[in-house]
């Protein structure tokens, strides 16, 4: 399943609180895309910001031939993307990267998502559910408007704990607060996480303390996203020694235990 | 009408003048998902050193206007692993390869060249004398004509393929250094490497790269590259030059050839347009056909110099 370069029409654009969702027509990407993989998107055609930006795939609909991304329009690139409307085109490269590893047999798993990172976990939840698994989730954000929750999560998760920094939705606190109790109660095989780096670091640490393997989808600056620039590396323990591995190729999903957090 | 795009690089014959800039194309494996490697003149591989290198800590890259900064610290698996895994992969596919070698001392360059001797499919070696990101930054060969000449002479003596010497634009007299490389026996020159730059995050007051400074690349540096190629070609018209620095389209490639380049290398553009190298290779043929050019010799260095 090689990645492709594709000029994709925007099928729909929507708001999700502070976030935006863009659904794009790219059948050959939708066909192969796996949870945890990403698209590298040109965000300023003809402009001075040449580098593509990586976006986690939030959904791949094989039937409709669409892929979607969810993002926070905070920077120049994401703001350009947020201005796209149905019928506009977007230049994509994907699907890229090593996504989440999913066991083929059904089991209990825990998802931990922060901010718009939860969208990629929704894609994963659908896949785990389709395999007959039991999925629990902890989703968090700074506040209600920055919390990502969708129908797929609601329908596929056996339980969802909601945490916000300011208590404007769910419980006040961090996503790591309910982790020990949920791990004790459900004995998940794997903790899957996606979100901002400090949250990922804390999530990996709690999972590790409690002896549960974690799979962490990291977010790093990438110049190329296709494995040749070596800017997006993280120090990762590999066969006993520390190596700089590429977030775009060996990642973006790494074992939480293996990452040598800065 | 047939267009002959083949070029000679100091004895190495390339089917067309488009190659890849070292460090911007890996050794072709990843890029072969997007590009027919046989459409290019050669693959210039990422720089290797005698021993494997871990490279520097992230953050290693930052975007700037029409370009980017990088500081990788020559992360590489070592020249032996490169020969076994990368060069052989290209050789199996009959894709011509140019290795890029680096080192901390003349002996380290020679060591790399020796390991590469006799490698199938290796058509030339490029000496990376100008990487500005290494920890021992006082030791940049390309800053000095004498040190450049030392490495070139030693590598030339050890090599069984043409030697290309890659120089830095961050010098007061590039022509003097190019002349020293030529006098020491280099078969050609690669111009230019990145130029040293810096960017600072105004929110955190931190440099955007972990090393503080890094190499600036992309279209932002193209005029510097064209100038360097032009200056050196005028001084050394018989030394073949691989011109590079910000080439992102056919026009850029033609511009570089008009300045005096024999071949051109695509670097940073591969990052954001993964198929661009093949597009440029095909585009040059179209350009020539349209203009009735039968060989690039007709336009090389043909910039009109009177106002």
């Amino acid at each position: 399943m090689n990645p492709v370069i594709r000029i994709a029409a925007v099928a729909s654009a929507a708001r999700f609180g502070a976030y935006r969702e863009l659904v794009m027509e790219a059948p050959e990407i939708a066909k192969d895309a796996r949870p945890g993989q990403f698209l590298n998107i040109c965000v300023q055609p003809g402009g001075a910001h040449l580098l593509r930006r990586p976006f986690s795939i939030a959904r791949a609909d094989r039937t409709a031939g669409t892929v979607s991304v969810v993002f926070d329009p905070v920077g120049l690139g994401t703001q350009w993307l947020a201005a796209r409307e149905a019928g506009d085109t977007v230049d994509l490269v994907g699907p890229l990267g090593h996504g989440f590893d999913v066991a083929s047999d059904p089991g209990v798993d825990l998802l931990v998502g922060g901010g718009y990172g939860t969208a990629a976990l929704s894609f994963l939840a659908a896949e785990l559910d389709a395999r007959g698994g039991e999925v629990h989730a902890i989703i968090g954000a700074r506040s209600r408007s920055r919390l990502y929750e969708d129908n797929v999560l609601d329908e596929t998760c056996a339980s969802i704990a909601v945490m916000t920094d300011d208590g404007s939705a769910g419980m006040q606190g961090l996503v790591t607060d309910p982790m020990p109790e949920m791990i004790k109660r459900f004995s998940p095989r794997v903790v899957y996480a996606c979100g901002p780096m400090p949250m990922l670091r804390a999530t990996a640490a709690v999972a590790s303390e409690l002896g549960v393997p974690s799979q962490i989808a990291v977010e790093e600056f990438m110049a190329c996203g296709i494995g040749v620039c070596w800017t997006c590396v993280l120090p990762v323990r590999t066969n006993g020694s520390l190596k700089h591995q590429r977030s775009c190729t060996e990642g973006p999903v790494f074992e939480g235990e293996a990452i040598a957090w800065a | 009408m047939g267009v002959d795009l083949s070029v000679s690089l100091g004895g190495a014959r390339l089917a067309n003048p488009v190659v890849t800039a070292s460090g911007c194309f890996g050794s072709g494996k990843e890029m072969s998902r997007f590009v027919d490697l046989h459409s290019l003149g050669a693959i210039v591989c990422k720089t290797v050193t005698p021993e494997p290198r871990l490279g520097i800590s992230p953050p290693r890259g930052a975007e700037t206007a029409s370009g980017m900064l990088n500081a990788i610290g020559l992360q590489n698996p070592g020249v032996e692993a490169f020969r076994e895994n990368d060069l052989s992969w290209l050789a199996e596919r009959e894709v011509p390869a140019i290795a890029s070698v680096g080192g901390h001392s003349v002996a380290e360059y020679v060591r790399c060249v020796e390991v590469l001797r006799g490698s199938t499919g290796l058509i030339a070696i490029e000496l990376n004398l100008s990487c500005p990101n290494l920890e021992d930054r006082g030791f940049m060969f390309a800053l000095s004509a004498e040190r450049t000449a030392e490495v070139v002479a030693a590598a030339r003596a050890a090599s069984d393929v043409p030697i290309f010497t890659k120089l830095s634009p961050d010098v007061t007299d590039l022509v003097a250094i190019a002349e020293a490389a030529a006098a020491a026996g280099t078969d050609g020159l690669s111009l230019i490497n990145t130029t040293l730059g810096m960017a600072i995050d105004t929110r955190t007051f931190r440099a955007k790269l972990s090393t503080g400074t890094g190499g600036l690349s992309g279209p932002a540096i193209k005029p510097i590259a064209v100038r360097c190629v032009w200056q050196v070609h005028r001084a050394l018209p018989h030394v073949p030059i691989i011109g590079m620095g910000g080439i992102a389209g056919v026009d850029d490639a033609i511009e570089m050839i008009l300045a005096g380049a024999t071949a051109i290398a695509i670097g940073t553009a591969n990052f954001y347009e993964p198929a661009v190298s093949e597009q440029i290779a095909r585009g040059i043929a179209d350009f020539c056909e349209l203009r009735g050019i039968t060989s690039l010799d007709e336009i090389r260095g043909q910039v009109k110099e009177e106002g």
Side-chain angles (χ1 to χ4, degrees), chain A residues 138-226:
Chain A
I138 306 171
I139 64 175
R142 291 212 300 272
S143 61
R144 174 182 290 276
S145 70
R146 312 187 73 78
L147 192 72
Y148 179 88
E149 189 171 2
D150 61 24
N151 294 337
V152 173
L153 278 173
D154 293 345
E155 285 160 19
T156 56
C157 293
S159 74
I160 301 179
V162 177
M163 307 297 295
T164 51
D165 293 1
D166 63 1
S168 57
M171 303 274 289
Q172 185 167 10
L174 303 174
V175 288
T176 42
D177 295 343
M179 266 184 77
E181 200 204 310
M182 287 183 74
I183 287 175
K184 213 176 291 169
R185 213 165 118 204
F186 302 119
S187 305
R189 297 179 298 185
V190 180
V191 170
Y192 294 98
C194 187
M197 287 298 258
M199 181 219 104
L200 296 177
R201 180 189 179 140
T203 301
V206 173
S208 179
E209 271 166 40
L210 297 171
V212 183
S214 59
Q215 290 189 29
I216 308 290
V218 301
E219 200 174 59
E220 279 289 324
F221 170 85
M222 291 178 186
C224 77
I226 51 178

Side-chain angles (χ1 to χ4, degrees), chain A residues 10-29:
Chain A
V10 174
S12 66
R15 284 170 183 270
F16 256 100
Y19 305 137
R20 306 302 168 90
E21 180 199 51
L22 212 57
V23 181
M24 295 157 288
E25 291 167 8
E28 61 280 72
I29 298 177

Side-chain angles (χ1 to χ4, degrees), chain B residues 11-190:
Chain B
R13 195 80 198 163
L14 271 61
N16 73 61
V18 178
V19 304
T20 60
S22 177
C24 300
F25 207 82
S27 293
K29 278 181 204 170
E30 294 89 351
M31 298 305 290
S32 69
R33 298 175 295 173
F34 306 104
V35 174
D36 173 8
L37 301 183
H38 297 100
S39 69
L40 306 177
I43 308 298
V44 182
C45 301
K46 180 167 162 56
T47 300
V48 292
T49 52
E51 302 299 326
R53 284 202 199 179
L54 185 61
I56 60 157
S57 296
R60 290 176 166 189
E63 188 177 48
T64 58
S66 298
M68 63 170 286
L69 291 165
N70 87 86
I72 310 299
L74 291 186
Q75 176 169 355
N76 80 92
V79 65
E80 279 160 22
F82 164 73
R83 188 192 58 198
E84 299 312 314
N85 302 324
D86 297 292
L87 265 189
S88 60
W89 186 88
L90 289 168
E92 277 166 30
R93 285 155 187 78
E94 299 186 341
V95 176
I98 298 176
S100 168
V101 302
H104 282 309
S105 63
V106 174
E108 287 199 359
Y109 282 92
V110 171
R111 167 86 187 125
C112 289
V113 171
E114 283 171 347
V115 169
L116 295 171
R117 276 179 77 95
S119 300
T120 310
L122 182 71
I123 62 161
I125 291 174
E126 183 175 271
L127 305 175
N128 177 0
L129 300 190
S130 37
C131 186
N133 301 325
L134 303 186
E135 286 160 5
D136 51 349
R137 285 182 42 215
F139 215 51
M140 282 192 287
F141 292 88
L143 295 186
S144 141
E146 293 74 24
R147 302 310 297 267
T148 295
E150 256 177 72
V151 187
V152 170
R156 179 56 280 161
S159 178
D160 56 358
V161 292
I163 292 287
F164 269 70
T165 304
K166 186 166 180 177
L167 298 179
S168 164
D170 296 346
V171 294
T172 45
D173 189 353
L174 178 62
V175 168
I177 296 169
E179 284 171 343
T186 198
D187 299 287
L189 295 164
S190 297

